[in-house]
Structures are given as structure tokens and as C-alpha cells.
Amino acid sequence: MKILDRVIRFFRLIWGEQPVGWKTLLPALVLTVVLLALPTGFEGAQIYQGTEKVRAAVLEVDDSAIVDAGLLRTGEQYCRLRIEEGTFAGQETWAANLLSGSLSRDKIFAPGDNAFVVVSQKDGQITTVTMIDHYRLHWEGLLALLFAALLILFAGPGGLRALLSFVITVLAVWKIMIPSCLKGYDPIMMGVGVVSILTVVIIVFVYGFDRRSLVAISGSMLGVLTACLLGMVFTNALQIHGAIMTESEALLYSGYESLDLTRIFMASIFIGASGAMMDLSVDITSGITEVVRKKPGISAREAIGSGMRIGQAAMGTMTTTLLLAYAGSCLTQLMVFMAQGTPILNILNYKYIAGEILHTLAGSFGLVMVAPFTAVVGGLLLTDRRKSSKS
């Protein structure tokens, strides 16, 4: 235990005593900048190189070439645009909006809409304008700003830490996890590595470097590893192929046929549940800490029992949270099954439904195991700290 205390004191010298201090926020800001600057290695693979991606105002539309067939629309919609940004700002041009008959992919423009377009040029002149979709970046930016402002307003310094954790998580997945999988690294090893780093960073934002952070990190990661092992075992047992994931087959046809989609699916199981595990481990750790603070002489066994009871109260809502999250992602599929009168046994046996069930149950299993893991580690480390401080 003395070695453990020395390690904690070393990191406190670097990060500061309190997690709200600038010594804690500064490394987080540095990490954010590093991740932003980190190249993915796929910047040169963009199919729109040498073009400008800009906003354009839709001035006029011509729907005469659109063919309506019930709910589906095919053909072309011609739009007169005014380029609002970039080299050709202020210029007007015509562009074709191609319709494939897919409600999920097609878009219909009307005068007054803003479109996101790709402008190709040659010798200073516009050659073609490709209409990508409606321009949504300004509304997305506004929503992000409102989220950040509300988080900081109500949570203060804690909200700033939460915001940095959010940004670091997004960047870690986009800059590290996804490029690594595309380059052929093992998705499970990369997933465990990324989740481990994020767990340490985010929990240290909450507690700083002390025994509470070690307890929460240990409980969370033991749950993640449990979900990882279950995912690997039952993905093979249920004979689920990773191609059930959205757009996975398109990825293979894009030149990445060597990717192991099944291992990527396995990694998605514990990555999807890791946030809830982290949340539960922090809740139990905070509860045990408060119990020990109120009753300094409590034994490790009593503290473990308190942690278990705290975990029992939280596990029900956490597992339901995972269930609702995964059910929401396949809601329309379930509606189709009911509308067609598909027997429940058929539904449960479909490969993609079995995949969602595995996602839910393996993640929930890992979540349930977080409670005893965190309670045991917390009871041993946090009560020992109290006893050593009195002696």
C-alpha cells in the first residue's frame, strides 16, 4: 500500500491536488490539441481533393425531370444556386440533384434552402457543382454551442471537465480507433486500449489522482473485459458475422476486403457499454467514499456490503438504459416484423436481431459485474486509506 500511495503522490505533483484545478485541465487541453493535430493517415484518400466544399443558396428548382412512382422519386432535379462561400462566392450556376429512389439517401430542395455543394474548377472557372445534401453545419454548430453552454452553466468547472471528456472521446474514436481498424490493427486490442485510456482520463477528471480514481478505473475496466470476453465467445457461438453492422459491406467493396468485420463487431459490444460501466463505477465509488467518510472506523467487509447495495439500486436503471438504447436503434425493424405478422421465434433467430440481443446482454452482463468488482476494490482500498491515515 505504501508503493500505491507513492504513485498517487507522484501524479498529484503533476496534475494537482484538486481535479478542478488548472493543473488538471491543462493536460486535458494539451491532449485535445494533440488529438486534433494527429493525422489519421487517410487525408490523401479524399475523393473530393482539389475542390471546394461550400454553402450555396437554392434560388430556383426545376422538377420536370423527376419521375414519381408512389412514395419513391427518381430522375433529376435541377437547381439554380448562388455560391455563398469560397472562391466563387456570389456566382450563380445550375446543378443537378440526382434521385435514386431511396428515401434515406435522396434529398429534395426548394427555393430558399441552403445546400452543401462541392465545386470543381479548372482555370478559374466552375466546371461542375455536386449537390451533397442540405446544409446543416450551422444548426449542428448551434446545437453544440448550446450543449456546451448549458453544461458549463449548470455544472461549472465540472461541466468544463465533462465537455473536455466528450471532445477527447470523439477525437480518440475518430483519430485513433477508426484509422487503426482501417489499417488492419486488431479491433479488439485497439478497442480495449482506447477504452482504457478514455476511462483513465475521464475518471481522473472526476477525482484527480487518488485511491477513488483507482477504484473506479479498476471496477470499470473489469466490467469492460467481462463484456469483451462474453462478446467474443457468444459471437462465435451464435455464428454472427460482422456484416450485420450498417455500411459494413460497403466498406469491404471500397477496397478493404481484408478487414475482419466480425472482430470489429465484437469490439463494438464492449465499446458501446463502456460509458455506462464507467458511470456505474463512479457512482459506487462515490457512495463508498461517503460511507467511509461518515464512519471512519468501518471495516472493509462492511464497506464492500455498502458498495454492493449501492450497486443493486443503480443496476436496474443502467441495464434498462442499454436495452432502450439498442431497441431504439432497431425500432423500425421491429415495426416491420409486427406489421408482417412475423412469429417471435423467427424474429429472435434472425442474425441481426441476435446481434442486437448479444449487444444488449453482453453489455448488461459486464455492467452487472461492475458493481461487485468496484465494491470489492473500493472496500479494500478506501477503508485501508482511512486506517493508515489514523495510524
Side-chain angles (χ1 to χ4, degrees), residues 82-103:
R82 182 179 65 244
I83 308 299
E84 301 288 355
E85 302 169 341
T87 305
F88 303 100
Q91 292 193 28
E92 296 184 7
T93 184
W94 282 88
N97 172 31
L98 303 179
L99 304 176
S100 63
S102 171
L103 293 175

Side-chain angles (χ1 to χ4, degrees), residues 119-148:
V119 179
S120 302
Q121 58 176 311
K122 185 177 181 181
D123 300 328
Q125 299 294 322
I126 297 176
T127 55
T128 59
V129 177
T130 304
M131 303 188 71
I132 303 299
D133 213 320
H134 288 87
Y135 189 86
R136 302 183 176 92
L137 301 182
H138 55 323
W139 290 112
E140 291 173 350
L142 176 61
L143 186 61
L145 286 175
L146 289 175
F147 168 70

